[in-house]
Amino acid sequence: MEFEKLKIDGLVLCKPKIIKDERGFFSEIFRKDLLENFISEKLDFCQHNTSKSSFGVLRGLHFQTAPKAQTKLISVSHGEVLDVVLDIRKDSPSYGKHCSVILNDINNFQLLVPRGFAHGFISMSKVAKVNYQVDNYYNSEYEFGINPFDDDLKINWILKKNQIIINNKDKSNINLSESPVYKF
């Protein structure tokens, strides 16, 4: 397994080694010990979630605050997504900056998203199944969102707006500049 620090501090792209032969492939997709050594902190994933989305579905940008803030390990078991994370840590030098990566069932990459980031993705394939391992249980009282179309963020969702399917809840999220200071 190979790990790559991304342009925003705390984000890690996990690249598993894929061993191919005439039968298909084998890959060790998660090694807690190796990832913990790389990030120099302990992880304790307690919940695993899966979502299924059609082409053009945008989910996000979501996060939870303290005491229910979550570190997430995101992967795609079927299809392809453009995965986007936004730094919402007010004291961070990269506050308001985002990072985008392609996750799919070919590269088998995973993205480690620490607390203090809003997360979202858009499905780029006919169907995409996204998996989330999280280190804190879901709690709707501490769930918030940032408007994925906030002009100040300049996120390129790749698709045209009329191709994007988004629910009313995500559409009605506030812009980052209007959000309070959150504790993580």
Side-chain angles (χ1 to χ4, degrees):
M1 177 144 310
E2 181 184 325
F3 302 103
E4 176 185 330
K5 291 182 180 185
L6 298 180
K7 65 182 181 181
I8 298 177
D9 188 41
L11 298 177
V12 177
L13 191 61
C14 307
K15 300 177 176 181
K17 182 179 179 183
I18 298 172
I19 303 164
K20 296 180 181 180
D21 64 21
E22 66 279 354
R23 301 169 294 168
F25 77 87
F26 172 83
S27 181
E28 187 176 73
I29 61 166
F30 178 70
R31 280 281 304 264
K32 182 178 177 180
D33 59 339
L34 296 178
L35 183 54
E36 286 178 339
N37 286 341
F38 186 78
I39 63 173
S40 300
E41 65 182 76
K42 294 288 183 191
L43 295 170
D44 188 18
F45 295 122
C46 61
Q47 184 175 322
H48 187 106
N49 307 313
T50 299
S51 68
K52 179 180 175 185
S53 300
S54 304
F55 176 79
V57 168
L58 191 158
R59 296 181 186 264
L61 299 160
H62 304 140
F63 62 97
Q64 287 188 187
T65 60
K68 298 297 181 179
Q70 298 174 321
T71 294
K72 301 174 182 177
L73 185 63
I74 311 296
S75 64
V76 172
S77 56
H78 181 83
E80 180 172 279
V81 302
L82 174 72
D83 202 87
V84 175
V85 288
L86 172 68
D87 190 344
I88 56 174
R89 303 169 295 178
K90 289 267 189 181
D91 59 345
S92 168
S94 53
Y95 172 78
K97 303 285 186 225
H98 71 279
C99 184
S100 303
V101 296
I102 295 289
L103 302 177
N104 59 41
D105 59 5
I106 305 296
N107 65 28
N108 288 300
F109 292 172
Q110 298 171 49
L111 182 60
L112 181 69
V113 181
R115 296 166 188 218
F117 287 82
H119 171 259
F121 67 86
I122 190 164
S123 175
M124 303 302 292
S125 55
K126 186 175 179 178
V127 173
K129 289 185 182 175
V130 177
N131 305 297
Y132 316 69
Q133 289 189 69
V134 295
D135 70 347
N136 213 340
Y137 296 108
Y138 171 76
N139 188 304
S140 61
E141 282 184 55
Y142 298 93
E143 177 190 28
F144 296 93
I146 300 294
N147 177 1
F149 302 118
D150 180 343
D151 289 332
D152 292 338
L153 302 179
K154 297 179 177 58
I155 298 173
N156 180 357
W157 291 105
I158 299 177
L159 301 180
K160 294 177 183 163
K161 218 166 184 181
N162 66 351
Q163 294 177 290
I164 296 175
I165 302 163
I166 184 170
N167 70 10
N168 288 331
K169 180 180 170 188
D170 287 350
K171 238 191 272 190
S172 66
N173 284 331
I174 60 176
N175 289 344
L176 182 63
S177 63
E178 300 163 340
S179 69
V181 176
Y182 295 109
K183 300 231 187 270
F184 301 99

